[in-house]
Structures are given as C-alpha cells and as structure tokens.
Amino acid sequence: MSGRLLLVCRLLMRDLRRRRTETVLLLAAITAAAATLALGLALNELADRPYQQTRTATAGPDVIVTPRATGQAALDELASLTTAAGVTDHSGPFPVAYLTMTAHGKSAHAVIEGRDTAPVSIDRPAVTDGTWVRPGGVVVERAFADALGIRTGDTVNIDGHPLRVFGTAVTAARATYPYAGWHYPGSILVERGGLVWVDRSDIATLAGSQPLSYTLNLKLADPAASTTYTVGDQLTTWQEIGNLNGRLYRDARTALLVGSWLLSGLALAGVAGIVAGRIIGQRRRVGLLKAVGAGPAMIAAVHLAEYLVIGLAAAAAGLAAGWFTAPVLIGPSAGLIGSVNAQPPALRTVIAVTALALTIAVAATLVPVLRAAATSTVHALADAATPPRRRRWRIWLSRQLPTALLIGVRINARRPRRARLVTVNTLITTTALVAILMVNTRVVHFDLGYTELANPRWERGERATLLLTAMLCVLALINAVVSTWTAVLDARQPLAVARALGATPAQAGVGLAVAQLLPAIPGVVVGLPAGIWLVASVSIGEVQYPPGSWLLATALGILLAIAALTALPALAAARRPVTDTLQSAPA
C-alpha cells in the first residue's frame, strides 16, 4: 500500500513540474470561481463590523421609539416606556422635524433632531470633524455631508434659515444616509434622507408651523431581547438599523453570488478542456502504466490525486484573494466608525469555498479520468479518437460542403465532447456579458426629494460588477485559449492526413478555426435570451433592456474574438510539414 501511495505522489509531483502551464491555468480557473464566492459570502460578515464598532463607540440604543403622533400627544405616549419591564436606561425624548436642507445648490430631505450640548448616557454621536451642536448652527451626519459636499464652516439653509456647519458626526441610533427615515409628520411612508443635529432651542424656530415629532432611545437589560419587539414605523431595533445599513451592500452581494455560479460554470468548462488536453498528452503513459501492470483503480488514483491537490490549492488561494479583496470592495460607509479589517474567514465560508473548488475539480475530471482508466492498453497506446457515426445523409451532405467546412465538421465529429465544451463556454460567457450590459445600461433615479445625489448602494454594486466583468473576461479568454490549444494538439494527425489527400495549409487552418466557431454559434444564440432572463429573475422593480444593436454587437464580438484566437494557432499548426506530423504519430 505504501509503495502505491509513493508511486502516486511521485507521478503527481512529476506531472505538476512538467506541465506547469496547464497547472497554472487550472489553478487560475478554479481560483477565480472560489474567490468570487468567498467575496460574496464575506460581504455580509465584514459589512456588519463598522456598525457594531459605531454602536459601541457611540453607546447606541437597543430600541428607538418614534410615535406617529406629534406634540404633547407623542410625549404622553413615550412617558410610560421609560419605566417598562426590561428597560434599564433611556435618553430623550428628543424633538424631531422633517424639513428640507439646501447646500451648494442641492436640496434634500433632512431629519432635524434637537439635542442638548451636554452628553447623554445613550446615543452620544461621535464628532468626526469640528464640534458638537450649539445654538445657531448644525452638525451633519458624515455620510450625508459627503453626499452633499458639505464641510465644516460651510453655510446651509434649512427651510429658509441659514445656519453654519459646526461639524460632522456619526451615530448608531439611525441608519446612515440615505436611510435616515424621513417622512411627513403622521405619515407611514418613509422616504430617503439624511440626518442633521441642531441645538434643542433652535428646532422650534426651524420647524415653524410644522408640529414636532419626538424620538426616545431605550437601553435594555438584554440587548438581544429587542428582537421580540414589533418593528414598524413607530419602533426600530438596533438589528433593524444594522439591516438597513446592510442594504448598501445588497447589490454587490447579489452580483458576486450570481457571478460566482457563472464563473463556476466557466471554470468547469475550462478545467474540463484543460483535462481533455492533459489526458490526450498522457494517453500513451496510461497505456504504458497498464502494460507494466497498473490497474484501472491505480490509473484513476494517479490522475484524480493531481486534480484534487490543484483544487485544494485553488480553494486556499480563492479564500485568501476573496477575503483580502473584500475590505477594498466594500468600503465602509462614511456614516460609520471603524474599518473593514481582513480577518480569518468563518468556518462556513471555508467549507463552502473548498467544496466548490473540489466539486469543480472532480466534476470536470472524473469522466475523462475514468474513461482513460477503463481504456484498453492497445487502444491507449494507439491514441484512437472517437470514430464519427456514419450516415448516408451525412455522407451526402459532406460532399456538398467546402473543404475547410468539411474539415471543421469532421474534427468536431471526432471529439464531440470538446465541441460541447466550446458551446458551454460560449453560452456562459454570452449570458454573463449580456447580463452585465443590462445592468450597466440601467438608468437609476436616486433622489432625496428635490435633487439627485450619488447612490452609495449603486456605487458598491458597480464596483462589484466591474470586478466580475474583469474576472469573467479573463476566464473566458483562458478557456478559449485552452480550447484552441487542445484542438490544435489533437487535430495534428487528421489535418496532416487531410493535407496529404490534397487540402491546402490555408484550408486546413480555416477548417480548424471553423471547428471552434461552429459550436460557439448556438452558445451565443442561447446566451442572449439567457442573460436577459438572468437579470430579470434577480432584479427588483422594472427591468430595462439594452438596444438590439448592442446585443447584436456583443454576439458578433464574441464570435469574432473566438475566430481571432483560433486563426493564428490553427494556421501555424496547418503549416507544419506533413511528413514531420505523420512520423511523430504513435505507431
């Protein structure tokens, strides 16, 4: 047993050293899918940390109560809550007005909260620049200030009252911009807006004839018990605020998780193509191992061990790449304190990414490896391909085809599985590119009542989409190169025979290019509606479709790219002397 294990290890290390290019391509293909899945899974875990840090630094409340009533009726409603069972401390009630703030020519909804100069025990906003509130000025929530371009010392206008900006601050008692909870007094319809603090003595003047609302912060003996509270328009728990802040990363997470499955499909097709090329190159070695006494189980173990090792290495590389890229991609909101630090991934993330990498490695290699292991010694040494199924109508049709097209059809008939891999690779690539095209052409209206500002949620989604686009294009390019390399390697003898029978080098080269292009056409045709369906199935709200000319240009661009990637190596392979190729064929 130990001798067989030693033999497997020695053959494994020998293959990894001798076939470094293929090993690197395998590693890159599986790592891309693993890293994208790790990014998507890490997004929620990492995005929650800045809010927890902010909550600790600002003594954030466990429950925030804002009654729908206004004025004295609201104060009467809040009075009994401060002594309710389980409540250990409170701050407020603080007066609140829902007004409009104008800065640098831009007007937006602003939740104006009146506060005291002296600090309180619960909800102490952390000043990040300037000073805390005092009469005659405002302190703006930092993310809201960044969106409007407000700096300390600027002057803003709140419903006709010019006020100086004393500073910026962050809090855990309300969701960060743009989810501060602006609404008309007494209404349950919440709109986007930002948070602004003013001195309590100024808020009545700013509100004018508008009745004041009030908000009360509660601290519970058991913070986790806040989940038993009914969350609604009058009451918000700290968990709900965390969920609102998490909306900023929802588009990015959806893009990465959906992208991880697309990349997994591309990786599966790419790995299968690479394995096919390796099996072709190792077929004679399989025959030699069988000739000296190795059984099918030994042959399968030798091959599978190599791909399992590569899969485990890709899982580790994907986890590292995904986890250390996540902080750069996420970029915590300016409305929160702290940073998104890369920490060891959670166990469930490690298991999921490792399982994905091994599944890709095994699924793409199991069938060709088992087929190679079950191949007879004579057949393996002869390196015979799958003979095409001959039918009368096929023979008649082949007589009508041009020589180059006939060569391409015959190459695909000899290796039908490789042709199907080209179709799968093109299908997934087209689906992904059409989906990305639809996302990028979508017009997003994001206003705060009177003006359009940058949407932080959309900005994070765009960064994730850009990263996904780059990875998809790189992996699709790798797959196309690998497919071409495998086809050139396998078609050397058939092309030499065709040239010996009268085909010119140009016809042979074009025939090999046609062999790659023919199975790509159905992949492109099906990929166009598949990409549209994918976006429609995961989108919330109205779906916007790109112009038909853009879809047509995408389809033609993919086919032209495949033709260009195939043409040069195909023509180079076709110009090799026929005698050299036939002499190098296995006896």
Side-chain angles (χ1 to χ4, degrees):
M1 182 65 183
S2 60
R4 293 183 179 180
L5 182 61
L6 179 61
L7 176 61
V8 170
C9 293
R10 291 183 63 181
L11 290 175
L12 185 154
M13 296 304 298
R14 183 171 178 268
D15 274 350
L16 293 179
R17 286 196 301 267
R18 290 188 60 190
R19 302 175 181 274
R20 295 177 183 176
T21 302
E22 295 97 316
T23 300
V24 171
L25 291 175
L26 282 168
L27 195 63
I30 303 177
T31 299
T36 308
L37 179 61
L39 265 174
L41 295 177
L43 207 56
N44 277 354
E45 298 176 22
L46 293 179
D48 189 49
R49 291 177 187 169
Y51 174 68
Q52 296 294 346
Q53 294 169 350
T54 304
R55 189 165 180 266
T56 301
T58 61
D62 298 325
V63 177
I64 302 92
V65 186
T66 305
R68 196 178 305 169
T70 58
Q72 189 60 43
L75 293 174
D76 294 340
E77 186 176 337
L78 295 174
S80 61
L81 297 179
T82 59
T83 57
V87 176
T88 60
D89 198 1
H90 73 279
S91 64
F94 300 113
V96 176
Y98 302 99
L99 306 173
T100 301
M101 184 176 73
T102 302
H104 304 302
K106 298 177 181 179
S107 299
H109 291 147
V111 179
I112 312 298
E113 183 175 323
R115 297 299 294 261
D116 301 312
T117 304
V120 293
S121 58
I122 302 175
D123 184 26
R124 299 189 297 269
V127 177
T128 57
D129 187 42
T131 61
W132 184 232
V133 296
R134 59 184 187 268
V138 300
V139 174
V140 186
E141 190 255 343
R142 185 168 63 175
F144 191 33
D146 282 1
L148 287 170
I150 297 173
R151 298 292 179 265
T152 299
D154 290 350
T155 299
V156 298
N157 189 293
I158 298 180
D159 274 16
H161 299 86
L163 296 167
R164 185 177 178 81
V165 178
F166 291 148
T168 59
V170 298
T171 181
R174 282 186 183 267
T176 185
Y177 161 84
Y179 303 116
W182 192 97
H183 62 87
Y184 292 100
S187 173
I188 63 173
L189 299 178
V190 178
E191 300 182 28
R192 300 184 184 98
L195 178 61
V196 176
W197 296 276
V198 299
D199 190 87
R200 188 192 288 262
S201 62
D202 291 338
I203 192 167
T205 302
L206 296 177
S209 60
Q210 182 184 117
L212 293 177
S213 301
Y214 287 88
T215 184
L216 176 67
N217 301 316
L218 301 178
K219 193 72 174 178
L220 305 181
D222 180 12
S226 61
T227 56
T228 62
Y229 282 70
T230 302
V231 178
D233 61 295
Q234 300 185 68
L235 186 147
T236 307
T237 65
W238 65 271
Q239 292 96 333
E240 179 63 17
I241 294 175
N243 291 335
L244 286 173
N245 288 332
R247 288 185 182 180
L248 297 174
Y249 311 98
R250 187 172 299 171
D251 289 346
R253 184 174 185 272
T254 300
L256 289 172
L257 290 180
V258 173
S260 69
W261 293 111
L262 291 173
L263 283 172
S264 297
L266 275 179
L268 191 62
V271 172
I274 297 173
V275 171
R278 291 170 76 93
I279 294 298
I280 291 172
Q282 295 173 338
R283 190 175 288 128
R284 281 181 58 79
R285 191 186 72 172
V286 171
L288 292 174
L289 287 174
K290 283 178 172 288
V292 297
M298 185 67 179
I299 300 296
V302 168
H303 288 83
L304 282 177
E306 178 180 350
Y307 300 119
L308 288 176
V309 168
I310 293 174
L312 288 174
L319 280 169
W323 205 258
F324 286 105
T325 304
V328 179
L329 177 66
I330 290 174
S333 170
L336 300 173
I337 294 177
S339 59
V340 182
N341 298 318
Q343 297 182 11
L347 180 60
R348 64 175 179 270
T349 301
V350 175
I351 294 175
V353 173
T354 303
L356 176 67
L358 292 180
T359 299
I360 293 174
V362 172
T365 60
L366 189 59
V367 173
V369 166
L370 292 181
R371 188 182 298 114
T375 302
S376 67
T377 305
V378 174
H379 186 76
L381 291 174
D383 191 16
T386 303
R389 296 180 180 179
R390 302 184 184 278
R391 299 287 188 272
R392 287 187 176 181
W393 67 270
R394 291 180 179 176
I395 296 175
W396 175 85
L397 181 61
S398 65
R399 292 174 179 172
Q400 318 303 318
L401 297 178
T403 302
L405 184 58
L406 176 61
I407 292 174
V409 170
R410 180 167 177 78
I411 289 174
N412 285 337
R414 294 181 73 249
R415 301 293 185 191
R417 294 181 184 86
R418 186 180 60 221
R420 287 194 287 268
L421 286 178
V422 174
T423 303
V424 171
N425 180 54
T426 311
L427 169 63
I428 297 175
T429 303
T430 306
T431 300
L433 290 180
V434 169
I436 291 170
L437 181 65
M438 288 187 65
V439 170
N440 289 337
T441 55
R442 205 167 41 173
V443 178
V444 179
H445 298 285
F446 187 80
D447 65 88
L448 276 82
Y450 308 96
T451 188
E452 291 196 3
L453 300 176
N455 185 345
R457 174 175 170 178
W458 184 248
E459 288 176 342
R460 287 170 174 80
E462 280 188 326
R463 287 202 295 268
T465 303
L466 180 62
L467 176 64
L468 190 61
T469 303
M471 296 178 70
L472 280 166
C473 290
V474 170
L475 195 52
L477 179 62
I478 290 175
N479 285 1
V481 171
V482 167
S483 178
T484 302
W485 163 73
T486 306
V488 170
L489 178 67
D490 187 47
R492 287 180 300 181
Q493 279 78 36
L495 288 180
V497 172
R499 289 178 57 198
L501 294 176
T504 65
Q507 289 173 331
V510 172
L512 188 54
V514 167
Q516 294 293 99
L517 202 56
L518 286 178
I521 294 175
V524 170
V525 172
V526 178
L528 292 175
I532 295 174
W533 171 84
L534 179 63
V535 174
S537 62
V538 300
S539 295
I540 300 175
E542 183 182 357
V543 178
Q544 298 174 357
Y545 299 95
S549 59
W550 293 14
L551 296 176
L552 180 61
T554 301
L556 293 178
I558 293 173
L559 294 176
L560 288 175
I562 294 174
L565 288 172
T566 309
L568 293 179
L571 290 174
R575 292 185 179 278
R576 185 180 181 186
V578 174
T579 54
D580 293 347
T581 302
L582 294 178
Q583 286 176 356
S584 64

